[in-house]
Amino acid sequence: MAGARPVRSAAAQAPGLTDKLARWGQSALTAPLHLLTLGHRTPGSFFAVAPDTWPGDAVSGQRLLGGSLAAAGDTGSIAAGEQDPPWQRPGASELWLQALNGFGWLRDLRDCGDASGAALAVSLVDDWIEREGRWSAATWKRQMLASRVVEWIRHYDWLATAADPAFAGRFVHSLSRQRLHLKRLARSGLAGHEAVAVLKAVIFADLAFLREGTAFEKSLDQAVSRLGRFVRRYVLHDGVVAERAPHLQVVALRHLIDVRAALSSAEQKVPAELGAAIDRLAPMLRFFRHGDGGLALFNGTWEGDRALIDLVLARSGSGEGAPAMALASGFQRLTAGTSLVIADAGSPPGRGMDSEAHAGTLSFEMSAAHERLIVNCGVYPGAPREWRHFMRFTAAHSTAVVDDTNSSEITEHGALEYRAGNVLVDRAEDQGAQWLDMSHDGYRSLFGIIHRRRLWLSPDGGDLRGEEMFSGPEGRPVTSPDKRFIVRFHLHPAVKATLAQSGQAVLMRLPSGRGWRLRASGAGIGLAESIYLGEEGRQRRTEQIVLVGQIPAEGAAVKWALTRMEG
């Protein structure tokens, strides 16, 4: 698998003024004066806001009744014993603690099919209030806090069915403190999907305490306006979120559906920007779905929960189908017969949106009917840290790698540098056949190489042909010749592959029995090991087809054909 791009400068990146101010702001929010101001007078009114209607997982709920929470690949005890409270448990993963303190599991207890679920939920909420009700760095983080505020508010009516008469007072007092801290955290530094989650939580909290003519009404108007302005920029004109990650497409759409429902139930005006964002997001979520209903694996995405995706789309109210292309973000979709190809023909996410972005420019995935054939390696939430890092490499994607180097550098801080730029794409159709002509210059500064990829899909979908070209910019010679290239086609774990025709082709068999064959010219062809992290909680061995060759000064070209085998 390709390594990180070589370091080009030894100069350390000094923290900017913005970073220093952000750190000062965070420290100010932990100062004693700030903590004292969280204890202001509890609001005199509280209203449950749009009770939660997303389905819980009964199996997870039964596990919770048994005393354990499974989240992000980890399972841990939730016993609220005096000696071992769960909320800041040593050794627990960050994602597990985030899930625990975010309280999204309340719906699992609610739908577990056991009346004792509500009583357990109340005892855990009470335990959290007693132990964590005063600010702590571990359990009052912004995104964790936002989730908890929303889940508490939306489940209040259900919690109240098993609570003692004094519970409402304890609950509302704690919630009002958390709301105040969240509003202060939301003043600056919001970006990406976290901004949508935080502003949603502020809106829910203001609605919960809303009384006409109070400060809550003004705060609500400000938060709703701010969310409307933000999503107008965050959701690109083509409907793709700024991180260019299909799983965050689901997250953002679900948040905005919740905000729309909450405002409507409180007879508040829904900003036009929110409705427009939902209408843009939904068709692009359909765009990223394969024939099996799961998501394409770009920029840190895994297949996802198909039933949840169906429900999110149904509740969006949008019936618009998937478009063929996304002009702002650069994604392309080819469909013919039962074949579907989704290609990343756009520039990587911009600054501030790239902390989890992958160096997978010009990669593509292919499915045949409901079966995946060519994939990217993907990465599920909670995967080991080293795997999350490696899965960002260009080599973990079905595209070409030059000299074992990423097409965009992944820095030690997680952001992208020297990113693949000038990503160009041209699309054409003729009598049912479809062409994509794509290129990027991610290898230009290091090696003087432009990677160009051309794809052609036949009208019946049974023939996908490609051409990979490695050349100097504007017809000039390659400045660093004789670098090795590898064109990778990662296979889904369900695909069985064998070398055939004296090593000149690879035969692939899908679970349905359908067969495909890949042939190539201009490079050696072979099979190598790969890994698939596209299914939550699972690391699966699989294989990849590799086309290997050298790039001389005059450049190189490889042609390949992926053909369905009839009968």
Side-chain angles (χ1 to χ4, degrees):
M1 188 166 287
R5 177 182 289 269
V7 176
R8 308 187 203 209
S9 172
Q13 294 182 352
L17 178 61
T18 302
D19 295 331
K20 292 178 180 177
L21 288 173
R23 287 199 298 272
W24 178 87
Q26 290 295 323
S27 63
L29 292 180
T30 67
L33 180 60
H34 165 72
L35 299 180
L36 287 174
T37 61
L38 291 181
H40 69 89
R41 184 173 60 85
T42 301
S45 60
F46 175 81
F47 305 96
V49 176
D52 182 78
T53 57
W54 298 103
D57 185 328
V59 174
S60 297
Q62 287 294 327
R63 187 182 292 115
L64 286 162
L65 284 175
S68 67
L69 169 70
D74 288 345
T75 301
S77 171
I78 59 167
E82 204 60 41
Q83 302 302 316
D84 190 24
W87 312 109
Q88 299 188 42
R89 178 155 298 141
S93 73
E94 177 66 24
L95 288 176
W96 187 87
L97 288 173
Q98 183 173 315
L100 175 67
N101 285 277
F103 281 80
W105 44 266
L106 283 174
R107 65 177 58 88
D108 297 334
L109 274 178
R110 182 198 65 203
D111 293 348
C112 71
D114 192 318
S116 62
L120 175 59
V122 169
S123 70
L124 288 169
V125 170
D126 262 337
D127 189 74
W128 190 95
I129 292 172
E130 180 182 350
R131 298 179 186 277
E132 306 296 332
R134 184 174 173 82
W135 179 92
S136 78
T139 60
W140 286 58
K141 295 177 181 178
R142 188 159 55 189
Q143 197 161 351
M144 186 186 295
L145 176 59
S147 175
R148 182 167 61 245
V149 165
V150 170
E151 300 303 339
W152 278 22
I153 290 172
R154 300 197 77 177
H155 287 89
Y156 175 75
D157 284 346
W158 173 66
L159 291 167
T161 63
D164 62 76
F167 175 76
R170 299 190 298 271
F171 179 91
V172 171
H173 178 71
S174 176
L175 190 62
S176 67
R177 288 169 58 90
Q178 293 179 66
R179 169 194 170 272
L180 183 58
H181 186 64
L182 182 65
K183 282 183 63 64
R184 292 171 178 173
L185 289 176
R187 288 173 182 167
S188 62
L190 291 181
H193 66 282
E194 183 189 39
V196 180
V198 170
L199 292 173
K200 166 188 170 179
V202 173
I203 291 169
F204 268 66
D206 287 344
L207 284 171
F209 295 123
L210 184 64
R211 284 184 300 168
E212 216 174 306
T214 66
F216 295 102
E217 187 174 30
K218 181 179 179 181
S219 174
L220 174 64
D221 290 342
Q222 292 173 340
V224 171
S225 296
R226 189 176 172 192
L227 178 61
R229 292 193 302 272
F230 178 78
V231 298
R232 194 166 52 202
R233 302 188 311 273
Y234 174 65
V235 181
L236 305 180
H237 292 304
D238 59 18
V240 176
V241 295
E243 294 99 335
R244 303 181 74 250
H247 69 287
L248 296 181
Q249 197 83 12
V250 182
V251 170
L253 181 54
R254 182 175 173 181
H255 282 323
L256 295 184
I257 290 170
D258 281 346
V259 172
R260 182 178 65 182
L263 290 172
S264 297
S265 69
E267 299 181 349
Q268 298 289 317
K269 183 179 179 181
V270 179
E273 295 93 338
L274 263 64
I278 290 171
D279 289 342
R280 296 200 306 277
L281 285 163
M284 285 310 304
L285 178 54
R286 293 187 175 97
F287 175 101
F288 286 120
R289 299 187 82 178
H290 275 292
D292 61 3
L295 298 173
L297 311 184
F298 298 105
N299 289 316
T301 297
W302 63 103
E303 293 181 14
D305 184 333
R306 292 157 175 78
L308 177 62
I309 297 170
D310 286 340
L311 185 57
V312 169
L313 285 170
R315 292 186 177 177
S316 75
S318 169
E320 186 178 340
M325 66 188 82
L327 292 177
S329 57
F331 288 101
Q332 296 284 331
R333 196 172 194 262
L334 306 177
T335 58
T338 59
S339 295
L340 166 63
V341 175
I342 305 175
D344 181 355
S347 299
R351 303 288 183 194
M353 299 291 154
D354 58 352
S355 61
E356 301 295 332
H358 288 202
T361 307
L362 302 195
S363 64
F364 80 92
E365 296 196 328
M366 181 180 182
S367 57
H370 60 280
E371 298 174 300
R372 296 184 188 227
L373 180 58
I374 307 296
V375 296
N376 295 319
C377 291
V379 60
Y380 60 85
R385 181 182 297 273
E386 62 273 18
W387 280 117
R388 294 202 303 273
H389 179 64
F390 292 147
M391 294 303 100
R392 298 180 68 186
F393 287 10
T394 304
H397 299 77
S398 292
T399 187
V401 182
V402 176
D403 198 41
D404 290 332
T405 303
N406 292 323
S407 59
S408 295
E409 181 181 346
I410 301 167
T411 69
E412 62 181 18
H413 304 295
L416 298 183
E417 280 289 352
Y418 305 108
R419 60 189 64 212
N422 294 320
V423 184
L424 304 177
V425 59
D426 188 24
R427 182 185 181 116
E429 298 185 24
D430 182 35
Q431 297 180 356
Q434 302 164 73
W435 287 266
L436 288 178
D437 191 343
M438 309 170 285
S439 64
H440 76 77
D441 67 355
Y443 295 116
R444 177 173 180 168
S445 60
L446 281 176
F447 313 125
I449 293 174
I450 303 296
H451 174 212
R452 182 181 179 189
R453 162 171 269 180
R454 301 173 69 188
L455 299 178
W456 176 86
L457 183 64
S458 66
D460 66 355
D463 192 359
L464 177 67
R465 300 191 182 187
E467 185 175 11
E468 316 288 340
M469 289 161 281
F470 307 92
S471 61
E474 300 159 358
R476 297 195 298 270
V478 171
T479 57
S480 298
D482 299 324
K483 298 298 182 184
R484 185 180 72 156
F485 69 81
I486 304 178
V487 182
R488 301 175 186 270
F489 302 86
H490 294 275
L491 303 177
H492 187 271
V495 177
K496 305 302 180 185
T498 56
L499 283 171
Q501 297 176 211
S502 301
Q504 299 302 304
V506 175
L507 301 182
M508 291 155 280
R509 183 71 61 185
L510 279 67
S512 64
R514 297 185 181 94
W516 289 77
R517 176 177 59 197
L518 189 142
R519 294 172 295 172
S521 63
I525 188 169
L527 284 172
E529 291 184 348
S530 183
I531 190 168
Y532 186 72
L533 276 68
E535 298 172 3
E536 189 165 5
R538 299 182 69 186
Q539 299 174 28
R540 299 182 65 184
R541 288 180 174 272
T542 185
E543 292 182 291
Q544 58 179 306
I545 302 170
V546 293
L547 309 180
V548 184
Q550 300 292 124
I551 306 174
E554 64 271 20
V558 180
K559 293 184 178 181
W560 52 266
L562 184 59
T563 309
R564 184 169 57 215
M565 299 171 62
E566 302 298 340

